[in-house]
C-alpha cells in the first residue's frame, strides 16, 4: 500500500544565535491511508515542528517529505499554499474559525478557493456539517456556537475538500471531557466510515486511547512507534 | 497527482470576506469613513467656493471691464497722450464687426485728466463711449447703484464710480469739472453733471474711471471721430488666442492684446487657481490616508491569527493582498462617493442661493470679488478626486497588506 505520508531522513535545525537547536533529527516515517495516528511526547520534543513539516507549513533543513509520492520539501511558498488547499485538512487547537462567516460559510470557503461550482459547494458543506452533527447550526456564526460546536465546524472545514489526510494540533485541548469525547467519536467514525487518515499531535490521553498508532517523540527523535 | 487552482477561483469569497471585515469593527470603520466623508465634503465645498469666486472674478473682469481683446496704437500705450489714437478707427470698427468670432465691438475715446469737485481734485481715466454700443460689451447699466445711465447725448453727463463719488463727496446731480490736454497739448476743461454712480467688483477701477459721451470727449479733444481703443467681445473665450494672433498679423501697426495680457494677474489666477485648490484637497486626502493606514494596520494586527489560518488552509498571498486592498478601497470609495455627492449637493444649493458675504463687501471689492459668492464645480473634479482617493487608498493600504503577506502561517496560528 502506498503511504499517504512519508518522510526520509527528515531533520530541522533552528539557528538561534551561536547555538543550533535540533528540533527534529533523522525522522523516517510512513503513514498509511486510513490510519488514526497520534504523535506524543513532552513539550519541546518536536511534535509541532514535525506537524508543520508534514503539513507543508515549514520546510526541512534536511531530508524529504512525500505526500502520496509527491515531494513537497522543495516546493515554493506559493506552491505549498496551493498544495495545502487541495491535499491537506487542518484542525487547530483554537478552532480558528472566521467570526464574520456562518458555520456553513466557514466550511465552504475552502471549496470556494478551489474554484468548485456553487451547487457542489453548497451540497458538500451541508453534507459535512451533517456528518459532524451540526446540520441545524449551518446559519449560525461562531459566536453563537459552543466551543465543542466550533471545533466540529473546524473538523467539517478540514474534511470539506476530501483531503488526503487531516492534521490536528491538540484539537481537544480547549474542550471539556464530554465535548472532547463526542468530538473524538465523530472523528473516529469519519476515520472508519470514510477511511480518512488522521494525524494528531497531542498530550491528551483521551485521544491516545482511540489511536490506531502512537508515535512517541523525544528530543526530536522517534523513540517508539506502536501500532495497535 | 498535484491539483492546482485557477487564478480566478475564490474571488467571490475574497470580496465577500472583505465586505464583512469592514463591518467587523463598526466603530472603527465608521469613524474612518466619517473622516473621509467630512474631508471630501469640506474639500469639495472649499474647492467650489474658490472656483466660484474665480469664475465670478473672471466674469467681472471680462464682462464688466476688459472684454476679451483690445486694440490700441503702440504710441498711446507708451505715452498715453492725446493725438495718438487709431487712424481710421471707425472704418476698422466696421470691418471687425463682420468677423464671425466677434459678438460685440465698441470704439472708445480715452483721455487721462483731472476731475474736480468743490472739495477735491483727482486724477482719472476719461472714457468716451457710445452709450448704446457699450451696453453690449460691459453691461454698464447693470452696475449702476444710483441715478441713470447715459441718455441724452446733448447733455454733458458723467458716470462715476462709488469710490470716486465718496472721495469727491458728490452725488447724483452734482457738477464736476474735468480737464485734460487736447491734441495740441493745451489744457481743456468742461463742466459735467453726475447722472449715475456705478459700482463694480473692482474698487480700484471704480475710483479711477469716468464715463462720458464719446462725441463730447472728442469735441473737447478737438479730434472729431478720434478712437483710442477698440474693445472686442467674442462668442467664445477659447477663440481669444487665435483671433488675437490673426488681428495682430493683420494690423501690425496696432498693439492687439488679449485679456491675458491686459490682466496678467487674472491669467495667472486662472492657470494656477485650480492647482492651488487641488493642493488643498490633496493635503486633506494625505491626512486621511494616514488614518486609513493606521486603521488597516490595526485591522491586520488584530487578525494575525486568522490571516495565518487562511494562509495555512490555502489562501494564496495574492488573495490575502487583494482582500486587504479591497477592504480599504471599498471603505474609502464608499465614504468618498457619499462625501462628493453631499459636497455637490451643497454646491448645487449654494450655487442657487449664493453665500452672502455682504459684511465683507468692501474688502472683497478691493480684490475684485463680488459680495455674494456662488460656488461652482465641474464634474471633472469628482473624477479627479475619485482617482486620487483610489491611488492614495491603495498606497495607504500597501504597507498593512504587505505586513499581512509576510506573516508566517505556522507562527501566526499559534500567536
Amino acid at each position: 500500500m502506498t503511504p499517504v505520508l512519508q518522510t526520509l531522513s527528515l531533520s530541522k535545525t533552528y539557528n538561534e544565535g551561536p547555538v543550533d537547536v535540533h528540533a527534529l533529527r533523522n525522522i523516517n516515517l510512513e503513514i498509511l491511508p486510513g490510519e488514526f495516528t497520534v504523535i506524543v511526547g513532552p513539550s519541546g520534543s518536536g511534535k509541532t515542528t514535525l506537524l508543520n513539516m508534514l503539513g507543508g507549513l515549514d520546510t526541512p533543513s534536511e531530508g524529504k517529505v512525500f505526500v502520496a509520492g509527491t515531494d513537497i520539501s522543495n516546493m515554493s511558498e506559493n506552491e505549498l499554499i496551493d498544495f495545502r488547499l487541495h491535499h491537506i485538512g487542518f484542525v487547530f487547537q483554537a478552532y480558528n474559525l472566521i467570526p464574520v462567516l456562518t458555520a456553513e460559510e466557514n466550511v465552504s470557503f475552502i471549496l470556494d478557493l478551489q474554484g468548485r461550482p456553487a451547487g457542489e459547494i453548497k451540497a458538500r458543506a451541508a453534507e459535512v456539517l451533517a456528518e459532524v452533527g451540526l446540520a441545524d447550526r449551518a446559519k449560525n456564526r461562531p459566536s453563537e456556537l459552543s466551543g465543542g460546536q466550533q471545533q466540529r465546524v473546524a473538523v467539517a472545514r478540514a474534511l470539506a475538500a476530501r483531503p488526503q489526510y487531516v492534521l490536528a494540533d491538540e484539537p481537544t485541548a480547549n474542550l471539556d471531557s464530554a465535548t472532547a469525547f463526542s468530538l473524538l467519536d465523530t472523528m473516529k467514525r469519519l476515520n472508519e466510515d470514510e477511511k480518512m487518515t488522521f494525524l494528531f499531535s497531542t498530550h491528551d490521553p483521551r485521544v491516545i486511547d482511540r489511536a490506531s498508532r502512537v508515535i512517541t517523540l523525544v528530543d526530536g527523535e522517534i523513540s517508539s512507534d506502536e501500532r495497535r | 497527482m498535484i491539483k492546482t487552482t485557477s487564478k480566478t477561483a475564490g474571488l467571490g469569497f475574497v470580496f465577500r470576506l472583505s465586505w464583512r471585515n469592514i463591518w467587523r469593527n463598526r466603530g472603527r470603520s465608521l469613524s474612518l469613513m466619517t473622516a473621509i466623508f467630512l474631508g471630501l465634503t469640506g474639500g469639495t465645498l472649499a474647492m467650489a467656493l474658490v472656483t466660484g469666486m474665480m469664475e465670478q472674478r473672471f466674469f467681472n473682469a471680462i464682462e464688466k471691464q476688459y472684454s476679451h481683446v483690445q486694440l490700441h496704437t503702440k504710441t498711446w500705450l507708451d505715452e498715453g497722450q492725446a493725438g495718438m489714437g487709431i487712424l481710421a478707427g471707425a472704418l476698422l470698427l466696421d470691418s471687425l464687426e463682420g468677423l464671425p468670432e466677434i459678438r460685440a465691438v465698441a470704439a472708445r475715446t480715452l483721455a487721462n485728466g483731472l476731475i474736480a469737485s468743490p472739495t477735491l481734485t483727482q486724477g482719472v481715466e476719461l472714457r468716451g463711449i457710445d452709450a448704446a454700443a457699450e451696453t453690449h460689451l460691459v453691461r454698464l447699466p447693470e452696475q449702476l447703484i444710483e441715478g441713470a445711465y447715459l441718455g441724452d447725448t446733448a447733455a454733458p453727463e458723467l458716470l462715476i464710480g462709488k469710490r470716486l463719488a465718496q472721495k469727491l463727496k458728490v452725488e447724483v446731480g452734482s457738477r464736476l469739472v474735468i480737464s485734460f490736454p487736447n491734441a495740441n497739448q493745451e489744457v481743456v476743461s468742461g463742466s459735467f453733471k453726475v447722472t449715475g454712480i456705478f459700482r463694480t467688483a473692482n474698487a480700484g477701477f471704480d475710483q479711477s474711471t469716468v464715463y462720458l459721451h464719446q462725441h463730447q470727449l472728442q469735441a473737447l479733444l478737438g479730434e472729431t471721430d478720434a478712437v483710442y481703443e477698440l474693445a472686442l467681445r467674442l462668442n467664445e473665450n477659447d477663440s481669444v488666442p487665435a483671433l488675437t494672433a490673426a488681428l495682430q498679423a493683420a494690423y501690425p501697426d496696432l498693439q492687439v492684446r488679449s485679456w491675458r495680457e491686459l490682466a496678467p494677474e487674472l491669467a495667472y489666477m486662472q492657470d494656477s487657481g485650480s492647482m492651488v485648490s487641488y493642493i488643498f484637497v490633496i493635503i486633506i486626502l494625505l491626512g486621511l490616508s494616514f488614518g486609513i493606514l493606521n486603521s488597516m494596520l490595526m485591522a491586520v494586527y488584530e487578525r494575525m491569527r486568522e490571516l495565518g489560518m487562511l494562509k495555512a488552509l490555502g489562501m494564496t498571498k495574492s488573495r490575502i493582498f487583494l482582500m486587504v486592498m479591497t477592504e480599504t478601497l471599498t471603505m474609502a470609495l464608499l465614504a468618498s462617493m457619499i462625501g462628493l455627492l453631499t459636497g455637490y449637493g451643497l454646491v448645487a444649493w449654494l450655487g442657487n442661493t449664493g453665500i452672502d458675504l455682504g459684511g465683507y463687501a468692501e474688502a472683497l471689492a478691493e480684490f475684485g470679488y463680488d459680495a455674494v459668492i456662488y460656488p461652482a464645480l465641474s464634474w471633472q473634479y469628482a473624477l479627479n478626486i475619485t482617482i486620487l482617493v483610489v491611488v492614495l487608498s491603495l498606497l495607504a493600504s500597501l504597507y498593512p497588506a504587505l505586513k499581512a503577506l509576510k506573516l508566517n502561517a505556522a507562527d501566526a496560528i499559534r500567536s
Side-chain angles (χ1 to χ4, degrees), chain B residues 394-412:
Chain B
L394 290 178
L395 285 176
S397 58
L398 210 54
Y399 181 62
L402 289 173
K403 272 271 173 208
L405 287 193
K406 282 186 180 163
L407 61 88
N408 178 294
D411 292 343

Side-chain angles (χ1 to χ4, degrees), chain A residues 121-165:
Chain A
I121 292 172
K122 201 165 175 59
R124 179 63 182 157
E127 188 185 348
V128 283
L129 277 173
E131 280 177 0
V132 298
L134 288 176
D136 56 336
R137 309 307 299 268
K139 300 296 176 196
N140 289 94
R141 290 197 175 185
S143 59
E144 298 161 340
L145 301 173
S146 68
Q149 287 172 326
Q150 287 186 54
Q151 195 61 303
R152 282 170 185 275
V153 175
V155 171
R157 178 179 66 192
L159 295 170
R162 294 190 177 88
Q164 284 175 311
Y165 55 97

Side-chain angles (χ1 to χ4, degrees), chain B residues 53 56-57 59-60 64 199-202 355 357 360-361 364-365 367-374:
Chain B
M53 284 174 82
Q56 281 173 254
R57 172 87 173 82
F59 176 84
N60 286 336
K64 298 179 180 174
R199 181 165 67 195
T200 69
N202 186 334
I355 301 171
L357 300 176
Y360 305 99
L364 286 167
F367 298 100
Y369 293 106
D370 281 331
V372 180
I373 295 166
Y374 295 91

